[in-house]
Amino acid sequence: MMIAFYGRYHAPQESAAVADCLSGEVASDGAYARRLRQWFGGFGVAPLLFTPSGSHALELACHLLRLQVGDEVILPSYNFPSAANAVLLAGGVPVLCDVSPDTQSITAQSVARRVTQRTRAVIAVHYAGIACPMDELAELCEQGGFSLIEDAAQGVCAAYRGKPLGTLGRFGAYSFHSTKNYSCGEGGALLCGEPDLQAAEIFRDKGTNRTQYLRGQCDRYTWQSVGSSYVMSELSAALLHTQLAHAQTITAHRLALCGIYRTLLQPLEDQGALRIMTVPDYATPNGHIFYVRFASGALREQVQAHLLSGGIDARTHYVPLHLSPMGARLGCRPDDLPESKAAAEQLLRLPVHAQMSQEDAQRVAAEMNKAVNK
Ligand SMILES: *Cc1c(COP(=O)(O)O)cnc(C)c1O
């Protein structure tokens, strides 16, 4: 039997919820968006605005920075392109920094090396749903007078020192893409504080104050400023709501799979073949990704090929942005940022999802052991 890399969780009531939605409001910000806000509000995640994707949430955050020509935003090279695109679309300059070999995320030191007079913000990407060192990053940003944005696309329901990821910076972005833990196909959310909320609402609702109008705060709505339609359909909100109703089950299952990998791969770490992902003690994980970093790129290739021949789909991850064609156009040099390059060569993600069993995880780990010691 094939063990796929991804597998979406199917909530029992998902068809019923979509049917229910079809009988009522299907545009944005209806009953299901309200329920989602309540659900997140239940553990202190508020306010949040649902968007068509995590990428849209990052765009909204960068737009609200009101960047001037030449303003810089620091973010990791070992990353998906969304945050860098968001900076460019907002008229800024993405400045790529290196990551820690322990967490594959930014640190205050790696960011500090890239700070200039033009730095306006830092985007902390919580890779694998493992929190970045937020206290150090917040202090650096406060000292420099720039904003901290969290790309918590992978960090929904994960925490830093007990506080939900996405709520620790000026802005936070969530993703509900089908590859994420809790999904509705395509979807996202922007988290921000009260000072940015009204501008965020206006931008995402075609540049109008319709959201205030719906709250009864004005008697008609009008064009206020430049904007677009960054809203989530109620159909998506209904799907997402059924998933979140089972969030604890989803998370517990993923964490159990990760626990099996961690235990059964320990001998390989002890023999120096690989390093198991680090979870710092300040981070509460959500089981989004389980990864290892091999001692060499060659060993990673050997193991990945062995797993695939046994029907197990394990995956590498990002091509660092500084090594991409777009990175070259932005003036990055290939020998910059060695840890991001090493992560790209050595990292392997193992399957973790709702449709695999604990026995599947045991089989993956057994094949890993065979592959390394072949
Ligand atoms: C998934 C992801 C995104 C993009 O989210 P979408 O909802 O697919 O737009 C952005 N950043 C990171 C780190 C991601 O993992």
Side-chain angles (χ1 to χ4, degrees):
M1 265 283 282
M2 187 74 195
I3 300 178
F5 184 72
Y6 291 117
R8 205 172 78 78
Y9 177 76
H10 291 282
Q13 323 83 331
E14 65 185 20
S15 306
V18 171
D20 175 53
C21 189
L22 288 172
S23 68
E25 180 62 75
V26 292
S28 61
D29 292 323
Y32 280 100
R34 238 181 347 264
R35 287 187 209 175
L36 288 179
R37 279 198 298 274
Q38 268 166 13
W39 190 87
F40 280 105
F43 53 96
V45 178
L48 80 178
L49 301 172
F50 296 97
T51 56
S53 72
S55 302
H56 283 84
L58 289 165
E59 282 175 35
L60 201 42
C62 288
H63 170 76
L64 294 170
L65 292 174
R66 316 269 178 214
L67 298 175
Q68 307 291 311
V69 174
D71 281 350
E72 298 174 356
V73 178
I74 301 172
L75 57 121
S77 177
Y78 193 68
N79 188 16
F80 196 68
S82 293
N85 281 324
V87 173
L88 288 171
L89 289 167
V93 179
V95 172
L96 303 175
C97 72
D98 216 351
V99 294
S100 147
D102 297 327
T103 58
Q104 331 306 316
S105 283
I106 61 171
T107 61
Q109 293 76 16
S110 71
V111 171
R113 280 195 284 274
R114 309 294 277 170
V115 170
T116 71
Q117 290 297 322
R118 301 309 305 265
T119 304
R120 291 288 312 280
V122 172
I123 304 181
V125 181
H126 302 296
Y127 182 69
I130 305 300
C132 293
M134 294 305 286
D135 284 341
E136 286 93 328
L137 290 169
E139 193 185 319
L140 181 73
C141 288
E142 202 177 313
Q143 279 171 1
F146 31 86
S147 296
L148 181 55
I149 299 176
E150 294 176 82
D151 180 343
Q154 304 174 9
V156 181
C157 294
Y160 171 81
R161 296 197 195 283
K163 295 190 194 116
L165 300 189
T167 65
L168 297 141
R170 178 175 167 193
F171 300 105
Y174 285 165
S175 171
F176 307 112
H177 185 266
S178 69
T179 54
K180 302 301 200 283
N181 288 19
Y182 327 95
S183 78
C184 56
E186 298 278 359
L190 176 76
L191 286 86
C192 66
E194 290 297 336
D196 290 301
L197 185 60
Q198 189 171 328
E201 288 173 344
I202 288 172
F203 184 89
R204 89 188 254 278
D205 221 344
K206 299 89 183 165
T208 74
N209 55 345
R210 180 170 163 275
T211 312
Q212 288 169 279
Y213 165 76
L214 293 175
R215 277 198 221 109
Q217 292 167 333
C218 50
D219 52 15
R220 63 183 167 168
Y221 66 90
T222 50
W223 188 24
Q224 303 285 318
S225 69
V226 64
S228 187
S229 184
Y230 280 21
V231 294
M232 177 189 274
S233 153
E234 274 287 285
L235 287 165
S236 300
L239 259 182
L240 183 57
H241 186 259
T242 63
Q243 296 248 322
L244 292 175
H246 298 272
Q248 280 188 345
T249 308
I250 295 172
T251 312
H253 180 67
R254 302 182 76 106
L255 289 173
L257 298 172
C258 293
I260 290 168
Y261 286 148
R262 191 173 282 284
T263 306
L264 298 181
L265 298 178
Q266 189 59 49
L268 294 181
E269 184 170 270
D270 296 341
Q271 83 186 59
L274 55 77
R275 279 179 64 188
I276 296 170
M277 63 186 281
T278 302
V279 181
D281 53 12
Y282 52 69
T284 306
N286 62 0
H288 178 59
I289 288 174
F290 185 91
Y291 71 85
V292 297
R293 256 181 82 162
F294 286 95
S296 72
L299 185 57
R300 198 254 322 252
E301 307 292 303
Q302 176 189 318
V303 172
Q304 189 182 17
H306 174 93
L307 292 177
L308 197 59
S309 70
I312 296 164
D313 189 6
R315 303 246 175 121
T316 63
H317 212 175
Y318 307 124
V319 172
L321 302 177
H322 79 284
L323 299 177
S324 68
M326 185 64 183
R329 273 165 60 195
L330 292 171
C332 303
R333 287 187 316 262
D335 49 358
D336 284 348
L337 316 180
E339 284 302 340
S340 302
K341 185 161 178 275
E345 287 165 359
Q346 298 167 355
L347 186 145
L348 190 68
R349 294 175 296 157
L350 303 184
V352 175
H353 56 80
Q355 294 182 31
M356 60 184 282
S357 65
Q358 301 198 0
E359 291 70 36
D360 289 334
Q362 286 159 3
R363 194 179 121 208
V364 174
E367 291 300 328
M368 292 273 290
N369 277 283
K370 270 192 228 163
V372 170
N373 291 309
K374 178 147 106 165

